[in-house]
Amino acid sequence: MLEMTREEFEELVGEALDRIPTDLTRLMDNVAVFVEDEPPPGTPDLLGLYEGTPLTERGEWYAGVLPDRITVYRGPTLRMCATRQEAVAETEITVVHEIAHHFGIDDERLHALGYG
């Protein structure tokens, strides 16, 4: 297991977000990104989670709602990585995967694209 402080991991997530093309980040709407140490009980290997209404499903009714939430989990990521480079790569994959859900892309398509 790789050792990394929460602050260092939050920095990795921030760097992964910075690598998302500006054309895409401009389209993101009403979404916040968080880092948590561990996923919900019963999901020990969960690396990230998107909670909200994808952009493709929003209609006229979508107003005054809390932001969508993307959470990246530090513990499972670090347990599966042996090096910082692996953690950087896995964090980037997780961030892209969860942002893709915000855009309405499902897991099947993400796995086909290599972001499973």
Side-chain angles (χ1 to χ4, degrees):
M1 179 174 145
L2 179 64
E3 295 291 327
M4 184 179 292
T5 66
R6 184 179 176 111
E7 291 77 22
E8 291 172 313
F9 189 77
E10 287 174 351
E11 198 171 297
L12 287 187
V13 172
E15 291 168 1
L17 287 166
D18 289 344
R19 287 190 290 276
I20 303 294
T22 306
D23 290 344
L24 288 179
T25 58
R26 274 192 233 132
L27 297 174
M28 293 173 63
D29 181 46
N30 199 30
V31 62
V33 178
F34 298 90
V35 170
E36 297 289 341
D37 289 328
E38 294 297 332
T43 57
D45 298 327
L46 186 66
L47 303 181
L49 181 64
Y50 170 76
E51 300 170 283
T53 304
L55 295 174
T56 55
E57 296 178 17
R58 295 180 185 178
E60 291 181 20
W61 60 270
Y62 189 85
V65 299
L66 292 174
D68 291 4
R69 181 180 177 102
I70 291 173
T71 307
V72 181
Y73 299 107
R74 183 175 74 97
T77 304
L78 297 181
R79 284 192 290 276
M80 71 180 292
C81 295
T83 66
R84 180 175 170 77
Q85 293 79 13
E86 287 178 6
V88 168
E90 195 57 54
T91 301
E92 185 168 325
I93 289 169
T94 301
V95 167
V96 169
H97 182 106
E98 302 310 330
I99 287 173
H101 286 319
H102 176 67
F103 284 100
I105 301 171
D106 65 18
D107 280 331
E108 184 178 329
R109 180 70 177 136
L110 286 168
H111 285 274
L113 294 171
Y115 289 97

